[in-house]
Amino acid sequence: MKIDKIVNINSKINFKSNKINNKIFTTAEKITDSFERNLSDIKFAKFSKEGFLKGVEYNTLLSPSKAIKSLVNSLDNKISQALLSQMHTREELKEMAVDVASDDFLRNLKVNKLIGLGAFALVFELDNGKILKLTNGEHFPDKRQPDFFDLPIEKQGKSSRTHYYIEEKTTHNNITQEELRNFVNDIEKKGYVFRDYLYFKENNEEVEARIREDQFGKTKDGKLYLIDPGCVIVQKKLSFEKLLKKFFKELNIS
């Protein structure tokens, strides 16, 4: 007899939030969480109201390769859709799982949670409290070098097409908008340009731009860091000759 689906009517984990009024909210202000049970290595998955996968907790400690495969093989359609929304195909994740399984260091790590999913990275929490980031490209955009604002990397490497980074786990608690504005200003003073770091909140019929707390984090010593290096790129400086060419081109002078 084939069992397609089992529902535990006594489960207390399965719940969803109330509907939000039609206002402009994104990221932290817009997100309202829901939890879904899944009968596999996954204990439960956490979603935002928009369907983004915010996290996964596993029933037991898994190797990074098995943790990735649990996402690929999940029968939960919400997980599959969330992966695709971040442009992670099954084929790509299967290749990443193979890469990770072939590395001696990664193979011996133990994962207990997926705590982040973006278009370029899967972020896992390890049993020792450290963070493992897996990416299919360089961690820093345009091969820029780490700077004072970047969360320090404790160990990094590459297995075939997959890059990995070990970092300290940070918290978003007690980060104020004033702190973030000052931090962003300090970074921009060094010639960097920010992208994908704002969200917009409707406040008294006005739209207020706020800095995304989830792109930043504090370490145990209370120091603030940028935890998503993809938010900051190096501002490209044009030579005097190129500036002149650009100026004449805009004036339609040949």
Side-chain angles (χ1 to χ4, degrees):
M1 178 179 67
K2 181 179 178 182
I3 301 177
D4 292 324
K5 186 175 183 182
I6 298 176
V7 178
N8 182 358
I9 61 174
N10 295 316
S11 171
K12 295 182 180 180
I13 293 179
N14 189 5
F15 67 88
K16 294 185 179 180
S17 61
N18 293 328
K19 191 173 183 180
I20 295 179
N21 293 331
N22 293 324
K23 292 185 178 181
I24 302 176
F25 289 95
T26 61
T27 63
E29 292 294 327
K30 189 175 179 182
I31 289 171
T32 305
D33 301 331
S34 65
F35 294 81
E36 300 289 341
R37 268 200 180 279
N38 183 49
L39 301 177
S40 64
D41 288 323
I42 297 175
K43 186 176 181 180
F44 64 80
K46 185 178 180 182
F47 299 88
S48 71
K49 184 178 184 297
E50 295 75 25
F52 296 115
L53 183 60
K54 293 187 65 181
V56 166
E57 185 169 328
Y58 297 102
N59 286 311
T60 186
L61 294 177
L62 300 173
S63 68
S65 178
K66 287 185 177 180
I68 296 170
K69 288 178 181 177
S70 72
L71 300 174
V72 174
N73 298 326
S74 173
L75 299 178
D76 189 331
N77 187 56
K78 289 186 69 176
I79 291 179
S80 300
Q81 291 301 316
L83 293 172
L84 286 174
S85 72
Q86 294 292 343
M87 295 182 289
H88 293 292
T89 64
R90 290 179 180 271
E91 290 71 24
E92 175 226 328
L93 292 176
K94 286 178 181 178
E95 289 178 357
M96 180 178 283
V98 171
D99 290 348
V100 171
S102 65
D103 184 272
D104 290 337
F105 172 73
L106 295 175
R107 188 165 54 245
N108 290 316
L109 296 179
K110 296 300 179 184
V111 166
N112 57 25
K113 295 177 183 177
L114 173 79
I115 63 170
L117 175 71
F120 301 103
L122 277 70
V123 185
F124 294 99
E125 180 181 323
L126 302 175
D127 61 337
N128 62 5
K130 299 293 184 180
I131 296 303
L132 168 67
K133 288 183 180 178
L134 299 174
T135 70
N136 52 17
E138 292 284 350
H139 196 39
F140 297 96
D142 300 324
K143 296 185 178 181
R144 73 167 177 83
Q145 294 301 306
D147 211 326
F148 74 95
F149 51 85
D150 290 302
L151 181 64
I153 297 171
E154 298 181 6
K155 183 179 176 62
Q156 69 182 79
K158 183 181 178 184
S159 178
S160 189
R161 297 143 295 195
T162 301
H163 299 256
Y164 67 86
Y165 305 88
I166 303 292
E167 299 172 345
E168 180 180 340
K169 185 179 181 181
T170 61
T171 177
H172 306 305
N173 298 334
N174 302 318
I175 299 179
T176 67
Q177 284 292 306
E178 182 179 3
E179 279 182 295
L180 292 176
R181 284 193 295 270
N182 292 334
F183 193 51
V184 167
N185 287 337
D186 289 341
I187 296 171
E188 290 179 332
K189 285 178 183 177
K190 289 203 65 176
Y192 293 100
V193 177
F194 270 85
R195 60 185 181 183
D196 190 28
Y197 75 110
L198 296 175
Y199 69 91
F200 299 91
K201 178 183 177 183
E202 186 178 310
N203 186 15
N204 296 326
E205 297 183 355
E206 293 184 358
V207 178
E208 177 186 3
R210 296 173 64 85
I211 299 173
R212 291 177 54 178
E213 294 91 345
D214 61 323
Q215 302 285 40
F216 303 83
K218 285 185 176 180
T219 50
K220 289 181 181 179
D221 60 4
K223 190 170 182 179
L224 183 63
Y225 287 102
L226 176 72
I227 61 175
D228 183 358
C231 288
V232 169
I233 58 175
V234 179
Q235 186 173 19
K236 295 181 180 179
K237 296 181 180 179
L238 297 176
S239 66
F240 182 71
E241 182 181 354
K242 289 182 178 178
L243 284 172
L244 282 176
K245 288 181 178 179
K246 182 180 179 182
F247 174 73
F248 290 135
K249 184 177 181 181
E250 290 176 353
L251 292 178
N252 293 319
I253 298 176
S254 58

Short mmCIF file of all heavy atoms in Angstrom, two decimals, residues 78 92 94 96 104 109 121 148 229-230 238 247:
data_model
loop_
_atom_site.label_atom_id
_atom_site.label_comp_id
_atom_site.label_asym_id
_atom_site.label_seq_id
_atom_site.Cartn_x
_atom_site.Cartn_y
_atom_site.Cartn_z
N LYS A 78 6.27 23.73 -1.00
CA LYS A 78 6.66 25.09 -0.61
C LYS A 78 8.18 25.22 -0.59
O LYS A 78 8.72 26.27 -0.93
CB LYS A 78 6.06 25.45 0.74
CG LYS A 78 4.56 25.67 0.71
CD LYS A 78 4.05 26.16 2.05
CE LYS A 78 4.52 27.57 2.35
NZ LYS A 78 3.94 28.10 3.61
N GLU A 92 21.45 22.01 -9.85
CA GLU A 92 22.53 22.81 -9.26
C GLU A 92 22.82 22.35 -7.83
O GLU A 92 23.98 22.21 -7.43
CB GLU A 92 22.13 24.29 -9.25
CG GLU A 92 23.13 25.20 -8.55
CD GLU A 92 22.47 26.19 -7.60
OE1 GLU A 92 21.33 26.61 -7.87
OE2 GLU A 92 23.11 26.53 -6.59
N LYS A 94 22.14 19.44 -6.49
CA LYS A 94 22.73 18.09 -6.51
C LYS A 94 24.23 18.16 -6.78
O LYS A 94 25.02 17.44 -6.17
CB LYS A 94 22.03 17.22 -7.57
CG LYS A 94 20.64 16.75 -7.18
CD LYS A 94 20.01 15.94 -8.31
CE LYS A 94 18.61 15.47 -7.94
NZ LYS A 94 17.97 14.71 -9.07
N MET A 96 26.14 20.69 -6.06
CA MET A 96 26.75 21.25 -4.85
C MET A 96 26.92 20.16 -3.78
O MET A 96 27.95 20.09 -3.11
CB MET A 96 25.90 22.40 -4.30
CG MET A 96 26.46 23.04 -3.04
SD MET A 96 25.47 24.44 -2.44
CE MET A 96 25.98 25.71 -3.60
N ASP A 104 37.16 16.47 2.26
CA ASP A 104 37.35 15.84 3.56
C ASP A 104 36.90 16.73 4.72
O ASP A 104 36.25 16.27 5.66
CB ASP A 104 38.82 15.47 3.77
CG ASP A 104 39.25 14.32 2.87
OD1 ASP A 104 38.36 13.55 2.44
OD2 ASP A 104 40.46 14.18 2.61
N LEU A 109 31.86 17.89 8.78
CA LEU A 109 31.08 18.89 9.52
C LEU A 109 29.68 18.35 9.80
O LEU A 109 29.17 17.49 9.09
CB LEU A 109 30.98 20.19 8.71
CG LEU A 109 32.28 20.94 8.44
CD1 LEU A 109 31.99 22.19 7.61
CD2 LEU A 109 32.98 21.32 9.74
N ALA A 121 23.89 32.01 -2.05
CA ALA A 121 24.46 31.28 -0.91
C ALA A 121 23.40 30.49 -0.15
O ALA A 121 22.24 30.89 -0.05
CB ALA A 121 25.16 32.24 0.03
N PHE A 148 37.17 46.45 6.49
CA PHE A 148 36.88 46.54 7.92
C PHE A 148 35.45 46.18 8.27
O PHE A 148 35.17 45.76 9.39
CB PHE A 148 37.19 47.97 8.41
CG PHE A 148 36.17 48.99 7.99
CD1 PHE A 148 35.11 49.35 8.81
CD2 PHE A 148 36.27 49.60 6.73
CE1 PHE A 148 34.18 50.29 8.41
CE2 PHE A 148 35.34 50.55 6.33
CZ PHE A 148 34.29 50.89 7.17
N PRO A 229 28.28 40.17 1.94
CA PRO A 229 29.25 40.99 1.21
C PRO A 229 28.76 41.40 -0.17
O PRO A 229 29.30 42.34 -0.77
CB PRO A 229 30.48 40.09 1.11
CG PRO A 229 29.96 38.71 1.26
CD PRO A 229 28.79 38.82 2.20
N GLY A 230 27.73 40.73 -0.69
CA GLY A 230 27.20 41.09 -1.99
C GLY A 230 26.50 42.43 -2.01
O GLY A 230 26.19 42.96 -3.09
N LEU A 238 36.64 56.22 -13.23
CA LEU A 238 37.03 56.40 -14.61
C LEU A 238 38.28 57.28 -14.70
O LEU A 238 38.45 58.21 -13.93
CB LEU A 238 35.89 57.06 -15.40
CG LEU A 238 34.59 56.25 -15.51
CD1 LEU A 238 33.54 57.09 -16.24
CD2 LEU A 238 34.81 54.95 -16.25
N PHE A 247 32.04 62.67 -21.48
CA PHE A 247 31.49 64.02 -21.54
C PHE A 247 31.14 64.41 -22.97
O PHE A 247 30.06 64.91 -23.27
CB PHE A 247 32.51 65.01 -20.95
CG PHE A 247 32.13 66.45 -21.09
CD1 PHE A 247 31.11 66.99 -20.31
CD2 PHE A 247 32.75 67.27 -22.01
CE1 PHE A 247 30.74 68.32 -20.44
CE2 PHE A 247 32.38 68.60 -22.15
CZ PHE A 247 31.38 69.13 -21.36
#
